[in-house]
Amino acid sequence: WNTYDLNKLIDAKGLNGASLLLIISGFASVFISFMGLYGSVRKDKCFLTTYCIMICIIIILEVSAISIFFNYQGETRAHLREGLNETVTKVNKENDKAALQIMNSIQTVFQCCGCNGPSDYLNVSMIETCKSKQSTSDKPIYFQIGCYDAIINYVNLHMPILIGLGICMMIFQLFCLIMSI
């Protein structure tokens, strides 16, 4: 992250908060698993009841997260478009190296160019990651799809897999809940 100098483009506190959230959730899952395992081995009602309550809370939080995800999809897409446009603007007007590195990374992964297409850049010939593999030095061929559309297509393509995994995980949690009862 430091090589991209992201603190110029996004709030670094958000990254620290996300990593802290992952650490806390890891400790919580270990603790909850211990409660269930200890309660089942010792046949202790208190531990099993605590495990059951914690699993119920997790399921409620997951259902809440799913509903928030579906309710704020439009806003998230608007923020994505806004962020990509801001980054391209920083590349065009300020010649910001961090913004250029971020766009180069996105364009390399998603094989796209700019936010809406190659016309977003003032001098697209300077952006090497916008050129397709069929491009030659005499005749450059640029990716015509914008990164916003490429990212949205990627998310939509992989959404059924994520939904399937989420459903399987919730079924497993319900199974654990029933077993603890």
Side-chain angles (χ1 to χ4, degrees):
W1 292 112
N2 291 337
T3 60
Y4 289 136
D5 202 13
L6 284 181
N7 58 349
K8 291 181 184 175
L9 298 172
I10 59 173
D11 186 15
K13 292 178 186 175
L15 290 176
N16 290 337
S19 60
L20 187 62
L21 182 65
L22 288 173
I23 291 170
I24 290 171
S25 65
F27 279 123
S29 65
V30 168
F31 178 72
I32 292 170
S33 299
F34 171 76
M35 298 284 280
L37 181 65
Y38 184 80
S40 64
V41 168
R42 296 289 182 181
K43 295 185 174 107
D44 188 344
K45 270 187 162 182
C46 181
F47 277 91
L48 284 174
T49 303
T50 305
Y51 175 77
C52 182
I53 290 170
M54 288 184 178
I55 292 292
C56 285
I57 291 171
I58 289 173
I59 290 173
I60 291 169
L61 289 174
E62 286 172 350
V63 170
S64 300
I66 289 169
S67 67
I68 289 171
F69 172 77
F70 282 113
N71 286 332
Y72 288 100
Q73 267 186 333
E75 248 181 72
T76 303
R77 290 175 188 216
H79 285 296
L80 175 64
R81 184 180 294 276
E82 181 182 315
L84 286 171
N85 279 327
E86 278 182 32
T87 308
V88 170
T89 301
K90 286 185 181 199
V91 169
N92 284 335
K93 293 188 178 170
E94 300 170 20
N95 201 16
D96 191 345
K97 292 187 189 301
L100 181 62
Q101 285 179 329
I102 289 170
M103 285 308 294
N104 282 339
S105 296
I106 293 170
Q107 290 167 169
T108 301
V109 170
F110 293 104
Q111 296 185 345
C112 57
C113 187
C115 178
N116 303 307
S119 61
D120 288 349
Y121 290 111
L122 296 176
N123 190 1
V124 73
S125 61
M126 298 300 291
I127 313 293
E128 290 295 320
T129 55
C130 277
K131 295 178 182 174
S132 72
K133 291 179 183 174
Q134 294 84 16
S135 181
T136 60
S137 57
D138 339 342
K139 186 173 180 183
I141 300 171
Y142 301 105
F143 295 118
Q144 294 303 309
I145 187 168
C147 290
Y148 173 78
D149 291 330
I151 292 170
I152 295 299
N153 291 342
Y154 180 84
V155 169
N156 289 339
L157 179 69
H158 292 88
M159 189 61 72
I161 296 169
L162 291 173
I163 290 172
L165 286 173
I167 290 171
C168 288
M169 188 171 65
M170 289 186 77
I171 289 171
F172 178 72
Q173 288 172 341
L174 285 172
F175 173 76
C176 291
L177 179 67
I178 291 168
M179 292 305 293
S180 67
I181 291 173

